[in-house]
Amino acid sequence: MEYFLQQLINGLTLGAIYGLIAIGYTMVYGIIGMINFAHGEVFMISAFIAVISFVLFGMIGIATVPVMLLLVLIISIFLTSAYGWTVERLAYRPLRGSNRLAPLISAIGMSIFLQNYVQLLQGARVKPMQPIIQGGFTLAERADGFVVSISYLQIFIIVLTTIMMVAFATIIQRTPLGRAQRACEQDKTMAALCGVNVDRTISWTFLLGAALAAVAGLMVTLYYGVVDFFMGFLAGMKAFTAAVLGGIGSLPGAMLGGILIGLIEAFWSGYVSVQYKDVAAFCILILILMVRPNGLLGHPEIEKV
């Protein structure tokens, strides 16, 4: 039971990170019906921004952890959002109105470009970082000495994810931007006729998705303490899997899918084999989609005639 509880904590932590990245995928798909394959690379860039910021703050003598975390979080969100906005302007907006294949190819090209861009600027080697947040709480201890614990970092990740989800849900449900996003999701032409600036709404959608990816990038940097230029591919694929599993286009579904993927990885690693945890996640995705093709919280698309 103690081991199960420890894997549950680890899975929830990992799932929170996947969920934040998955929301970026599902938002873009919900509004413009396109998979943004460069989103994983935006997440990777945010992790590099976090590492560079930590190093710079360490060099100038800012050692107070809460202050440093807040500053790095603000800088990561600001710069990563700028990347998300730029990607949309350069790679997707010029193809608005073309067939769906063109932006898909553009997204893949942008993903490869960003990988090589970071590789050229930062090198191919991994970038390690010293732990910033250490310590935690002991929840239980088994007779053989196994200790169930939750670290301060895991608490920080889960609490920050919850705050981001509440803030994001408020933006979607209660702000003019959220209403514009929901209008564009239903019918972009009708939304434009009603006065909604569709291009600006899509740009804000990319910007918000990149901001959530920035938070996830900071969490991964703190959690694993190492970043590399290829980390966005696998994390992006898992987050995309989470979005599909929860029902792509559904924001609660994206977070649910992320948590499920995190739990599957943690329990598979703990009870079966850590080498095949990625395979397990994708196999379970296939099994669920065979039963529910639209995902757990997705709705079937109604084609208008």
Side-chain angles (χ1 to χ4, degrees), residues 28-294:
V28 171
Y29 181 85
I31 291 182
I32 61 177
M34 188 202 75
I35 304 298
N36 178 19
F37 281 110
H39 190 62
E41 274 56 49
V42 172
F43 155 77
M44 174 268 292
I45 287 174
S46 74
F48 272 91
I49 292 172
V51 170
I52 293 169
S53 301
F54 278 124
V55 172
L56 290 177
F57 285 132
M59 290 172 65
I60 62 177
I62 298 178
T64 308
V65 173
V67 175
M68 189 188 295
L69 284 177
L70 182 61
L71 291 175
V72 172
L73 182 63
I74 293 171
I75 291 172
S76 296
I77 288 177
F78 180 76
L79 293 180
T80 309
S81 300
Y83 271 98
W85 181 81
T86 306
V87 166
E88 191 274 333
R89 291 300 297 263
L90 294 179
Y92 303 127
R93 183 173 293 191
L95 299 175
R96 200 102 75 226
S98 63
N99 63 61
R100 299 179 71 169
L101 195 58
L104 186 67
I105 294 171
S106 178
I108 295 171
M110 180 55 71
S111 169
I112 296 171
F113 169 79
L114 289 176
Q115 275 186 25
N116 287 274
Y117 162 74
V118 173
Q119 185 183 8
L120 284 172
L121 287 181
Q122 297 294 323
R125 293 185 178 180
V126 298
K127 300 287 185 293
M129 195 183 74
Q130 294 293 324
I132 302 293
I133 303 175
Q134 294 178 309
F137 297 105
T138 299
L139 302 180
E141 185 170 358
R142 213 163 52 187
D144 61 359
F146 179 80
V147 175
V148 180
S149 63
I150 180 168
S151 65
Y152 296 141
L153 179 56
Q154 288 174 316
I155 296 172
F156 172 74
I157 289 173
I158 293 172
V159 170
L160 184 57
T161 301
T162 305
I163 292 172
M164 293 299 295
M165 282 300 300
V166 171
F168 197 77
T170 304
I171 290 173
I172 296 295
Q173 296 297 328
R174 299 179 183 274
T175 65
L177 174 62
R179 285 192 290 273
Q181 286 180 310
R182 285 182 280 139
C184 291
E185 183 179 0
Q186 292 180 9
D187 191 326
K188 287 195 285 295
T189 304
M190 186 58 71
L193 290 173
C194 292
V196 174
N197 189 327
V198 175
D199 284 337
R200 188 166 59 192
T201 304
I202 292 174
S203 292
W204 271 101
T205 302
F206 273 80
L207 196 145
L208 288 175
L212 291 176
V215 178
L218 172 62
M219 290 175 178
V220 166
T221 304
L222 293 170
Y223 199 55
Y224 292 108
V226 62
V227 300
D228 66 83
F229 75 96
F230 200 63
M231 63 183 287
F233 175 75
L234 190 56
M237 288 303 294
K238 288 182 182 175
F240 176 60
T241 304
V244 174
L245 181 62
I248 194 155
S250 165
L251 297 182
M255 182 51 72
L256 175 63
I259 291 174
L260 287 176
I261 293 290
L263 290 173
I264 290 168
E265 279 196 21
F267 282 111
W268 192 275
S269 301
Y271 287 101
V272 184
S273 167
V274 69
Q275 283 88 2
Y276 297 106
K277 60 184 176 64
D278 297 334
V279 178
F282 288 113
C283 288
I284 291 174
L285 167 70
I286 293 170
L287 291 176
I288 291 178
L289 290 182
M290 289 172 67
V291 181
R292 292 186 62 86
N294 296 298

